[in-house]
């Protein structure tokens, strides 16, 4: 008797499963096909992206070789072509292209490229900071203190990995402007930071010594070193010199 009940129960289950499949089987097949298509598309996109990145990397390397070989114009054209394609290597190429413009004397074009990179929030922050620092160097060469402060002023704070470069640029800009107090403060900040690179620390020490020398007041007329007539030794030497002249 139990076998009969079991067979009836299994038959009911089969009928329910068939009914569910008849109602929703098409949807199940559709979802399965969609999963397969999406997975294949994603894998295909990954492969395509990898191929594109590899090609961009090879093109960037070739452009670097042209620059190393002294073929500046060809390298510049190659970097600009890669920059138009975008992506990680495109941004690197745009930085190199901007540097090429600066070297060729197109400071305004280079500055525009650097500013465009630094203002692009979609790019990694490190690349944007590189662009800010390089733009600030161009502004320093143009003796534009406000331009330097605008680009790296917020980077000179504790904890910012670019603070050393920012402080040095701000110190040099202040020195150019004759603001020796602020310049000294910036270079002392460099010396007080244990993470300041050694070469930059040496430059800061040199600038502090230079600033101290510039601040030393010039000798006055009352100073014996400034007025030989006020120096007893000079006064004693004058008659002897005159006597030697007369003897000749």
């Amino acid at each position: 008797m139990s076998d009969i009940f079991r067979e009836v129960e299994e038959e009911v289950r089969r009928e329910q499963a068939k009914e569910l499949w008849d109602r929703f089987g098409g949807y199940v097949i559709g979802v399965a096909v969609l999963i397969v298509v999406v997975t294949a598309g994603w894998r295909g996109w990954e492969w395509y992206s990898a191929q594109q990145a590899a090609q961009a990397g090879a093109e960037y390397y070739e452009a670097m070789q042209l620059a190393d070989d002294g073929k500046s114009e060809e390298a510049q054209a190659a970097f600009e072509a890669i920059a138009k394609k975008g992506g990680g290597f495109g941004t690197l190429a745009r930085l190199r292209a901007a540097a090429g413009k600066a070297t060729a004397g197109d400071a305004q074009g280079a500055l525009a490229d650097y500013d465009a990179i630094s203002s692009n929030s979609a790019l990694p922050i490190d690349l944007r900071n590189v662009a800010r620092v390089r733009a600030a160097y161009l502004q320093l060469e143009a003796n534009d203190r406000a331009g330097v402060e605008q680009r790296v002023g917020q980077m000179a704070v504790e904890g910012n990995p670019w603070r050393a470069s920012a402080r040095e640029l701000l110190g040099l800009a202040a020195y150019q402007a004759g603001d020796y107090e602020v310049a000294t403060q910036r270079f002392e900040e460099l010396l007080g930071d244990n993470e300041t690179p050694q070469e930059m620390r040496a430059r800061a020490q040199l600038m502090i010594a230079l600033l101290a020398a510039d601040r030393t007041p010039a000798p006055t007329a009352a100073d014996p070193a400034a007025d030989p007539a006020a120096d007893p030794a000079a006064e004693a030497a004058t008659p002897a010199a005159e006597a030697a002249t007369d003897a000749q």
Side-chain angles (χ1 to χ4, degrees):
M1 184 68 68
S2 59
D3 293 338
I4 295 176
F5 287 126
R6 188 179 302 110
E7 291 177 3
V8 172
E9 184 177 356
E10 290 177 355
E11 185 67 24
V12 171
R13 289 178 179 177
R14 283 195 293 270
E15 289 295 330
Q16 290 176 341
K18 182 177 181 303
E19 183 179 352
L20 290 173
W21 179 257
D22 291 341
R23 291 178 59 186
F24 304 109
Y27 296 108
V28 172
I29 293 173
V31 170
V33 171
L34 180 62
I35 291 174
V36 171
V37 171
V38 169
T39 302
W42 176 252
R43 293 299 183 186
W45 173 253
E46 286 184 334
W47 177 85
Y48 175 77
S49 299
Q51 292 295 109
Q52 292 295 103
Q55 181 180 351
E59 292 174 353
Y60 186 83
Y61 176 77
E62 292 175 0
M64 291 282 290
Q65 287 295 111
L66 290 172
D68 292 341
D69 293 340
K71 300 177 181 179
S72 302
E73 294 184 359
E74 296 179 28
Q76 184 69 12
F79 283 128
E80 290 180 355
I82 299 170
K84 291 179 181 178
K85 297 180 180 180
F89 283 105
T91 303
L92 292 176
R94 193 171 185 183
L95 286 170
R96 287 299 303 262
K101 289 181 181 179
T103 302
D106 184 9
Q108 291 302 315
L111 187 63
D113 285 347
Y114 286 140
D115 286 342
I117 294 171
S118 64
S119 62
N120 188 348
S121 59
L123 296 176
I125 187 63
D126 285 338
L127 289 178
R128 295 167 62 190
N129 285 336
V130 168
R132 290 190 181 99
V133 169
R134 292 188 177 180
Y137 274 112
L138 289 178
Q139 296 297 76
L140 184 68
E141 292 177 2
N143 200 16
D144 184 354
R145 182 182 182 182
V148 173
E149 292 177 345
Q150 176 186 349
R151 286 161 178 81
V152 298
Q154 295 182 348
M155 298 167 61
V157 297
E158 289 295 332
N160 191 303
W162 293 87
R163 62 186 180 277
S165 295
R167 287 168 176 171
E168 183 177 47
L169 282 162
L170 292 169
L172 291 172
Y175 177 76
Q176 282 183 338
D179 190 349
Y180 293 169
E181 182 177 353
V182 171
T184 301
Q185 175 187 346
R186 289 302 185 183
F187 292 123
E188 286 178 347
E189 288 175 353
L190 284 171
L191 294 180
D193 190 341
N194 293 330
E195 296 185 9
T196 298
Q198 190 60 39
E199 293 184 0
M200 195 174 292
R201 184 182 299 276
R203 291 197 298 268
Q205 290 173 336
L206 178 63
M207 288 303 302
I208 288 176
L210 182 61
L211 285 161
D214 288 343
R215 284 181 169 183
T216 302
T220 61
D223 189 342
D227 186 3
D231 187 350
E235 291 179 355
T238 300
E242 292 177 352
T245 302
D246 294 341
Q248 293 176 355

